Amino acid sequence: MDFLNTLTDNTELFRKGFLGTLALTGSSALIALVLGTLMAAFRVSPVPVLRWIGTTWVTILRNTPLTLLFFASVFAVPKLGLNQLTYFVLAMATLGFYTSAFVCEVVRSGINTVPIGQAEAARSLGLTFSQTLRTVILPQAGRTVIGPIGSVLIALTKNSAIAGGFNVVELFSTQKTLTENANPLFAVFFWIALGYLLITLVLSGIFRGLENRLAVAR
Amino acid sequence: MSATVLFDTPGPKARARSKAYTGITGLALAALLGWIGYRFWVTGQFDASMWARFEYTDVQWAIVQGLLTTLKVFAIAGAASLVLGAVLAVGRLSDHAPVRWVSAVIVEFFRAMPLVIMIYALYRWQFTDRPMWALVIGLTLYNGSVQAEVIRAGINAVPRGQAEAAYALGLRKSQVMRVVLVPQAVRSMLPTIISQLVVTLKDTSLGYVITYEELLYVGNQIAATTNTPNGFPYVQVMMVIAPIYIAMCLLLSWAARAIERRGGRTTSTGAALAGAGMAAGD
């Protein structure tokens, strides 16, 4: 009974935490998808400087601990006088930037699966680089990487927990508050785990559905 | 498809355009860097008092200690996760359904949980006085589960003839696994295994959340205990700590890539299957 009481006595905290995780994951996913695709475009572009920016962005972000990034954005960035940003905005940007590096690599691998003939045909029709990429390559690449993008977003959901250690209200911060208020440890862990499982299972379901609908037969 | 297929060999017009874009991007980058430098300047980050603390040997030693602690946790958790991974991988391929089932549940559960949730629960449960073990056990369970999937994919990618030949020679099931399949699987999966070790190394910084004195936590302490007229030197600590982390991870990543290039043994399907964790940013 204790088990259920932990949930029913603290519904408000759990609700806030769950919604916090949803909001954080959703908003940073949006940043990651847009920025990641842009960086992938940079990495295959004809301009060397842009390629360099894309490569550097990915290399640095993939080799930096996310906790360190959070630490830097929460403690160091406000020291530069940017102290009007809320913890949520900082966490959203941190997660979005970090994840964009992984989105970039996934999209780039998708670009590599598009048959060479597609790009050659596009070029021989006289399309420019950005037209080739926008109208021919990316639509096809996007369809082949739906599965991997799903994995990236599931990892993002799990990574968003770290934000709870940096003053953002989400499921991990709920776990901390409840555990520190002497609620049964395993009951709290169970309900928090269930919350994350719910999000990741729904995400993987959505992406499996998308994959089936949009898959290209080759 | 290589990148060069996406655009023609640049002619004079394209070269000019490319130069223009390079100029614009360079200006934008310079403006960004200049703005950051300006923010540094107006908030007094270049002030000597902000940096003086790093000249003291006790602070330098604290950083070295933090680095060694991080490396210690990484060594224990990395080794333990490889052992656990091998055990779970073999377990998932066992002929006995209960063993298979238990291994699968362990692997799927620990892969699905956010690591920090688990480490914190362990910390509050049994390891409040010994946060290192909360961190090590959490890292081992999570990364071990991921390594299990990597090694399993590697075992499945070993050509069937290998196992058949081993059985034909009269080896027992456990011998076939131990002597023939696992060594080949580990070898072919080495780049992916090392990539996952990079993830393990990165995640040691979660020790910060449970107040364990690894590198990031030490950095925080240095910044929080240095009160200067310009505030606490968090920016400076970041500029010292971050390169250390990035350098360590880059070294490991490069090792993985070097082995991948040299070995040429990685089966592309296996690597694609198993590399999903690292590629996804777990």
Side-chain angles (χ1 to χ4, degrees), chain A residues 66-77:
Chain A
L66 183 56
T67 324
L68 181 84
L69 278 184
F70 267 114
F71 186 87
S73 72
V74 168
F75 292 116
V77 169

Side-chain angles (χ1 to χ4, degrees), chain A residues 62-63 80 112 123 158, chain B residues 1 5 39 111 202 253:
Chain A
R62 292 218 319 171
N63 287 291
L80 296 177
N112 284 329
R123 271 165 55 204
K158 294 192 292 166
Chain B
M1 180 168 59
V5 188
R39 296 306 318 175
R111 275 196 333 153
K202 281 160 68 178
S253 299

Side-chain angles (χ1 to χ4, degrees), chain A residues 43-53 59-68 71-72 75-77 79-82 98-99 102 106 111-116 119-120 123 127-129 132-133 137 148 151-152 154-159 161-162 165-166 171-172 175-177 179-180 185-186 189 192-194 196-197 200, chain B residues 1-9 17-18 21-22 25-26 29 35-36 39-40 42-43 45 50 109-118 120-122 124-125 142 198 201-203 205-206 208-209 216 219-220 223 230-235 237-238 241-243 245-247 249-250 253-254 257 276-282:
Chain A
R43 287 201 72 170
V44 296
S45 87
V47 185
V49 171
L50 294 183
R51 283 205 298 272
W52 179 83
I53 290 177
T59 310
I60 290 187
L61 282 174
R62 292 218 319 171
N63 287 291
T64 309
L66 183 56
T67 324
L68 181 84
F71 186 87
F75 292 116
V77 169
K79 289 278 176 287
L80 296 177
L82 306 167
Y98 179 77
T99 312
F102 296 92
V106 166
I111 291 176
N112 284 329
T113 65
V114 179
I116 294 178
E120 284 171 346
R123 271 165 55 204
L127 298 189
T128 65
F129 168 72
T132 309
L133 203 62
I137 305 296
S151 307
V152 170
I154 286 171
L156 166 64
T157 312
K158 294 192 292 166
N159 284 336
I162 300 176
F166 292 92
L171 280 172
F172 174 48
Q175 183 197 18
K176 278 204 300 186
T177 312
T179 309
E180 271 151 31
L185 188 124
F186 278 106
F189 177 73
I192 296 291
L194 204 67
Y196 278 106
L197 225 51
T200 50
Chain B
M1 180 168 59
S2 66
T4 43
V5 188
L6 288 173
F7 46 85
D8 295 294
T9 312
R17 210 165 39 223
S18 175
Y21 286 137
T22 305
T25 318
L29 267 185
W35 180 74
I36 292 174
R39 296 306 318 175
F40 268 61
V42 292
T43 54
Q45 305 297 336
M50 298 292 260
F109 177 76
F110 286 114
R111 275 196 333 153
M113 274 309 100
L115 184 50
V116 65
I117 298 284
M118 218 151 60
Y120 181 78
L122 282 166
R124 295 298 303 220
W125 174 50
Y142 175 72
V198 178
L201 176 58
K202 281 160 68 178
D203 284 345
S205 60
L206 285 174
Y208 167 79
V209 178
L216 183 59
N220 179 44
N230 291 313
F232 297 97
Y234 278 102
V235 179
V237 164
M238 267 302 96
I241 302 282
Y245 270 113
I246 296 174
C249 295
L250 272 181
S253 299
W254 275 332
R257 239 178 320 146
M278 173 61 184
D282 269 323

Side-chain angles (χ1 to χ4, degrees), chain B residues 151-229:
Chain B
I151 297 172
R152 186 168 69 110
I155 292 175
N156 283 334
V158 175
R160 262 234 317 271
Q162 295 283 331
E164 286 166 359
Y167 282 120
L169 284 172
L171 297 185
R172 272 180 281 114
K173 253 191 322 196
S174 59
Q175 284 177 317
V176 173
M177 218 20 129
R178 221 179 48 234
V179 184
V180 178
L181 294 181
V182 172
Q184 294 193 57
V186 168
R187 196 166 161 205
S188 71
M189 282 299 165
L190 209 51
T192 318
I193 288 173
I194 297 178
S195 297
Q196 188 58 35
L197 284 177
V198 178
V199 177
T200 312
L201 176 58
K202 281 160 68 178
D203 284 345
T204 58
S205 60
L206 285 174
Y208 167 79
V209 178
I210 56 167
T211 65
Y212 177 58
E213 284 103 350
E214 43 71 59
L215 187 54
L216 183 59
Y217 187 79
V218 168
N220 179 44
Q221 274 184 323
I222 295 172
T225 54
T226 311
N227 200 354
T228 74

